């Protein structure tokens, strides 16, 4: 999900994109954690689709999404708790 002012663009698995009139904060509060995690002011990710973190970016379907400093700790905690060593 990508925030664009008062709208959010949803990227679906089938390649479809949908725009909705909702802000990121409202959407973040509505979505179940830890399945959906905010990684940046403009991005919320379905963590079940995230494959890795590479150089401060979450990789989802070969797309590299930036992790902002303010969400870095939460993203790292998620991967620490959900990665098998």
């Amino acid at each position: 999900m990508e925030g664009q002012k008062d709208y959010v663009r949803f990227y679906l698995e089938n390649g479809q994109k949908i725009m909705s009139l909702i802000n990121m904060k409202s959407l973040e509060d509505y979505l179940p954690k830890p399945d959906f995690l905010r990684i940046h002011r403009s991005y919320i990710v379905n963590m079940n689709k995230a494959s890795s973190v590479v150089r401060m970016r979450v990789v989802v379907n070969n797309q590299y999404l930036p992790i902002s400093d303010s969400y870095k700790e939460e993203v790292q905690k998620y991967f620490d708790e959900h990665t098998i060593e």
Side-chain angles (χ1 to χ4, degrees):
M1 291 158 257
E2 179 182 8
Q4 298 178 340
K5 300 214 178 206
D6 291 333
Y7 292 87
V8 172
R9 178 170 291 176
F10 295 86
Y11 294 88
L12 307 180
E13 282 186 304
N14 64 6
Q16 193 176 13
K17 299 174 190 170
I18 298 171
M19 289 285 280
S20 178
L21 179 59
I22 189 171
N23 64 41
M24 292 291 279
K25 179 63 179 153
S26 297
L27 183 60
E28 181 181 18
D29 292 342
Y30 179 75
L31 294 169
K33 288 186 180 185
D35 294 334
F36 291 87
L37 191 62
R38 190 151 187 184
I39 63 167
H40 187 276
R41 180 177 62 92
S42 298
Y43 295 102
I44 296 175
V45 173
N46 179 346
M47 296 306 286
N48 296 314
K49 303 298 180 185
S51 58
S52 62
V53 174
V54 177
R55 296 188 178 142
M56 289 296 294
R57 294 184 182 132
V58 174
V59 181
V60 180
N61 297 331
N62 295 322
Q63 297 284 357
Y64 290 76
L65 304 173
I67 302 169
S68 67
D69 287 339
S70 57
Y71 296 100
K72 176 181 165 183
E73 189 175 315
E74 191 173 354
V75 172
Q76 184 60 52
K77 181 180 174 187
Y78 176 88
F79 276 98
D80 288 347
E81 293 175 355
H82 293 87
T83 302
I84 299 172
E85 294 184 28

